[in-house]
Amino acid sequence: MPIDSRLQTFETTWVPRLNAPLADAIAADSGDDRLAEAMSYSVLAGGKRLRPLLTVATMQTLGATFTADRDWRPVMALELLHTYSLIHDDLPAMDNDALRRGEPTNHMKFGAGMATLAGDGLLTLAFQWLTATALPVSTQAALVQALAVAAGPHGMVAGQAKDIQNEHVDLPMDRLRVLHREKTGALLHYAVQAGLILAGTPQAQWSSYIQFADAFGLAFQIYDDILDVVSTPAELGKATQKDAGEAKNTYPGKLGLAGANQALIKTIAQGQAALQTVPTAVDTDLLAAFFSYFDTKRVK
């Protein structure tokens, strides 16, 4: 499906605005030039800025105003943390990938040691940026707590641990969903959660948005699994067909391509249904447009 025009307009407005300060901000907060270069190399290597865009879109949906001096670093902290996870995921001890977004991975350019430190630097700088702001201290604390849970041993890191432990193990679907919820879904869950926190939305009103976020996170992973099978390395900017070669648990591996695509369609419908349960005065069309990232016609 083509990307929704409303989402295209939103991206055209916000991606440059989010990207513009990045290089200078990372350099200003780094005490070593080579380390700053390695950190910036991966952060600036492209990417849709999907996670901070989700945060800003959630804020806009809830009527909150984005103020650069107050909100930019807390919003972009998630992109730093996401990039750290990609750098470490590509390392020889993990997936040992040579390409990311069509360019050499961080360890191929800077060596495994510096790449590890670049990831470490981005991880810790993310939490610094959550508090380098004029936001109320209670808001800062809520963001730090939420991101630590999403990224740590109860979230993304737990999912990564399950992933490497269960290669060549046939996981039942319920355990695969848990793995995906932690490994991929946790940071997308946080992206929406951060928007709710920054907008000052009472937790009693979070449920529909969180259900949307979790459906989006699962759809993202299912679609990523599908693309690994049906795409070329040139299209993805990285090696493909790796999941099957490493005997990883994926939706196409367990359900076949057609079954995985049906699971994707069903998950998208669940996320769209969740958005329909928010108060009628709230326009959720922008959030719903994020599902247009997933082309359900890729599988014939």
Side-chain angles (χ1 to χ4, degrees):
M1 69 181 78
I3 292 180
D4 187 284
S5 60
R6 182 166 179 173
L7 182 58
Q8 283 185 319
T9 301
F10 179 72
E11 287 181 326
T12 300
T13 300
W14 280 96
V15 171
R17 187 173 175 182
L18 295 173
N19 280 340
L22 267 171
D24 288 345
I26 291 171
D29 285 329
S30 302
D32 181 271
D33 291 344
R34 185 65 170 170
L35 176 61
E37 183 184 359
M39 292 164 65
S40 294
Y41 173 78
S42 290
V43 174
L44 300 175
K48 295 184 289 288
R49 303 300 183 222
L50 173 62
R51 290 153 188 82
L53 285 175
L54 266 173
T55 300
V56 175
T58 303
M59 293 174 68
Q60 285 197 359
T61 296
L62 293 161
T65 300
F66 180 99
T67 302
D69 289 346
R70 181 193 64 201
D71 297 322
W72 181 80
R73 277 183 171 80
V75 166
M76 290 305 290
L78 177 55
E79 192 69 9
L80 300 187
L81 194 141
H82 170 59
T83 305
Y84 124 76
S85 75
L86 300 181
I87 293 173
H88 281 197
D89 198 42
D90 289 337
L91 286 168
M94 296 288 284
D95 285 351
N96 195 25
D97 279 319
L99 287 176
R100 169 74 65 177
R101 294 167 180 158
E103 299 294 334
T105 50
N106 200 289
H107 70 272
M108 295 297 292
K109 186 171 178 67
F110 295 94
M114 185 59 75
T116 302
L117 293 172
D120 293 344
L122 290 169
L123 167 62
T124 48
L125 185 58
F127 288 97
Q128 179 180 324
W129 279 14
L130 289 178
T131 57
T133 171
L135 286 168
V137 172
S138 59
T139 303
Q140 295 178 36
L143 290 169
V144 168
Q145 170 70 13
L147 185 55
V149 170
H154 193 67
M156 181 184 69
V157 174
Q160 292 280 25
K162 288 181 175 68
D163 194 32
I164 64 173
Q165 290 177 89
N166 287 293
E167 292 178 7
H168 305 283
V169 175
D170 185 16
L171 284 180
M173 285 300 299
D174 59 338
R175 290 177 61 191
L176 179 59
R177 282 191 288 270
V178 171
L179 189 160
H180 284 345
R181 183 176 69 241
E182 293 171 345
K183 179 183 175 183
T184 302
L187 292 192
L188 292 165
H189 175 112
Y190 170 81
V192 173
Q193 184 181 7
L196 293 165
I197 292 169
L198 288 166
T201 306
Q203 287 195 31
Q205 299 174 21
W206 284 16
S207 178
S208 296
Y209 298 98
I210 294 301
Q211 289 175 38
F212 153 75
D214 290 342
F216 185 86
L218 179 56
F220 186 94
Q221 184 59 60
I222 296 171
Y223 191 57
D224 191 65
D225 288 351
I226 290 171
L227 291 181
D228 184 68
V229 178
V230 303
S231 300
T232 65
E235 286 176 311
L236 287 191
K238 62 181 181 179
T240 58
Q241 310 284 337
K242 288 197 69 179
D243 292 337
E246 296 170 358
K248 291 195 173 185
N249 287 274
T250 68
Y251 269 68
K254 299 187 77 63
L255 302 177
L257 273 175
N261 203 52
Q262 286 303 309
L264 174 61
I265 292 169
K266 179 180 178 181
T267 304
I268 291 171
Q270 290 170 342
Q272 291 170 331
L275 290 176
Q276 292 171 5
T277 65
V278 305
T280 54
V282 178
D283 180 0
T284 60
D285 285 353
L286 177 58
L287 290 176
F290 277 78
F291 284 116
S292 68
Y293 279 128
F294 310 130
D295 183 1
T296 57
K297 294 185 169 61
R298 284 299 297 264
V299 177
K300 305 300 182 184

